[in-house]
Amino acid sequence: MKLFRRLAAPLFVLALATSAHAAAIKALIVDGQNNHDWKGTTPGLKKYLEDTGLFTVDVATTPGNKDDMPTFKPDFKKYRLVVSNYNGQDWPKETQAAFEEFVRAGGGFISVHAANNSFPSWAAYNQMIGLGGWNGRSEKSGPYVYWEEKAAKVVKDLAPGRGGSHGPQHAFAVETREPQHPIMAGLPAKWMHAQDELYDRLRGPAENLTVLATSFAPKDKGGTDRHEPMLMTIGFGQGRVFHTAMGHAGGGKRVAQQCVGFIVTFQRGAEWAATGKVTQKIPADFPTADQIRLRE
Ligand code: ZN
């Protein structure tokens, strides 16, 4: 009897956990190559998804070298959301085709920071992310997309130029441009993001692209003096893509991904990409127009 009592509470908790898992959304994080600290950030991204209580998360890690890459064949169809923390060598054609089919058929996808540097010549991938940078991107990759403040609209600049740039890292403000979008609804119109690289001059097909939020990249911080897209959604077939340009990590630091603004928009973007809705509440520790907020 004593033993039963001792076991009963844990068993009850286990039963609850099991039933919660049965209702959870299955998500997959892809990593394995990145010029950023993917080993340090994947556990954080996984925890942020799990903290919502909505997701169970698996991780698929690619081989570290080209010779073994043909073995990389995750079963994307098992999931409702794929998160890329990957910036590296091409996946096998078969895996690319399976991933395209997954998103086209209604799967959710999130591109985090340097995931938008990946795969410059994979046409469908660039349609999914809308905009990307580096790895030879130029006007041939598509227009440079920025936000024109006075007209309050997105500009697609077809003039020749590089795709992807940033100045030294600094903290910067993020401004909402689509306050009615489920991911943005209820967030402050303007909030401070912790020290990060402010990606500018991103280029890509920019089809079915909605710019949810932008950040001003001042010239004196190595920027463009323009409002650059930070949070975006893209439609690809029946699939929903959430793209966050934020989240630099390296040198043992991942402060940009500890920013509550990064975390909360990632969590809301994940739910939206997977389901088309956002049921999460805005937490009390969300950053304000003049205050950065970090979590451990
Ligand atoms: Zn970076």
Side-chain angles (χ1 to χ4, degrees), residues 18-36:
T18 307
S19 68
H21 277 192
I25 303 168
K26 285 172 71 71
L28 178 73
I29 299 176
V30 178
D31 66 12
Q33 294 185 20
N34 205 320
N35 58 337
H36 291 67

Side-chain angles (χ1 to χ4, degrees), residues 19 53 106 128 160-161 180:
S19 68
M128 289 180 213
Q180 308 302 323

Side-chain angles (χ1 to χ4, degrees), residues 27-32 34 36-52 55-61 83-86 112 247 249 252-254 257-258 262-263 266-267 295-296:
L28 178 73
I29 299 176
V30 178
D31 66 12
N34 205 320
H36 291 67
D37 181 13
W38 60 270
K39 285 181 185 169
T41 49
T42 289
L45 294 171
K46 183 172 187 285
K47 182 178 185 300
Y48 299 155
L49 292 176
E50 290 166 349
D51 283 350
T52 64
F55 294 96
T56 55
V57 186
D58 293 336
V59 177
T61 301
V83 175
S84 178
N85 191 23
Y86 182 88
V112 176
K253 286 189 179 170
R254 48 180 283 274
Q257 293 199 12
Q258 291 174 276
F262 172 87
I263 296 169
F266 173 74
Q267 290 171 323
R295 288 185 193 164
E296 275 311 301

Side-chain angles (χ1 to χ4, degrees), residues 36 113-114 166 196-197 199 247-249:
H36 291 67
H113 192 59
H166 64 76
D196 201 347
E197 288 170 346
Y199 276 8
H248 179 78

